[in-house]
Amino acid sequence: MLDWFSNLVAGSPVHEGGALSGVVACILLDQSESLAVTETIHAFGGHITHQLPDATHVLVPNNITAADLPRFHGLQESCQSTHKPIVRVSWLEEVVGSTTKSPWDAALIAAHVPPTSSAARVEEQAGETAVRRTDPTMVTGSLAETWA
């Protein structure tokens, strides 16, 4: 999966003003993935921290699910309260693979946020509300009761 990262950064100097300038990433990946991601972040001017409070972004595996996130006790709550995005590695791939995309772009970040149990519940509730509002049988039944 990350082989192209290794090829991309091999022999590359660190770019202080690179695509990841100002990014301080906390990486929550398996050791097999974290080395290539760390090298990529450094090569594009970003920095790594092992302390969540110092991070600007938190990187998680692309295949992470809502069921996986609780193993990082308090991560979602901490990031939400401090407005730190939790993003998949695909966010990094997209930022460094483009000359125009910013690591701070809210739409780009949103496209790479992993599913969370609370987000899934909100989406589910929003979907139910939308169905309730657009179900014509409910409106017809309500009008019939009103005019009866």
Side-chain angles (χ1 to χ4, degrees):
M1 172 178 94
L2 297 174
D3 290 338
W4 73 272
F5 276 143
S6 299
N7 293 335
L8 182 66
V9 300
S12 298
V14 173
H15 298 98
E16 282 301 318
L20 297 174
S21 181
V23 170
V24 180
C26 182
I27 301 173
L28 302 178
L29 302 171
D30 292 333
Q31 190 172 2
S32 62
E33 287 183 285
S34 66
L35 180 61
V37 170
T38 298
E39 290 175 352
T40 301
I41 290 170
H42 285 172
F44 286 88
H47 298 280
I48 304 296
T49 184
H50 298 288
Q51 303 296 320
L52 187 59
D54 299 334
T56 59
H57 297 74
V58 177
L59 273 74
V60 296
N62 283 333
N63 61 350
I64 198 163
T65 66
D68 296 327
L69 287 174
R71 74 180 174 153
F72 303 109
H73 181 71
L75 176 67
Q76 292 177 27
E77 297 80 8
S78 178
C79 288
Q80 186 175 21
S81 69
T82 58
H83 307 288
K84 293 180 194 310
I86 301 172
V87 291
R88 292 182 175 125
V89 172
S90 56
W91 164 85
L92 178 63
E93 295 168 352
E94 192 163 347
V95 171
V96 301
S98 168
T99 57
T100 60
K101 296 186 178 176
S102 166
W104 310 104
D105 182 298
L108 177 64
I109 289 170
H112 297 280
V113 171
T116 62
S117 53
S118 59
R121 280 194 301 267
V122 168
E123 288 177 15
E124 182 179 297
Q125 290 169 350
E128 289 173 5
T129 303
V131 168
R132 277 189 242 130
R133 289 184 182 163
T134 59
D135 186 355
T137 59
M138 295 179 82
V139 173
T140 305
S142 179
L143 287 174
E145 291 171 3
T146 303
W147 295 106

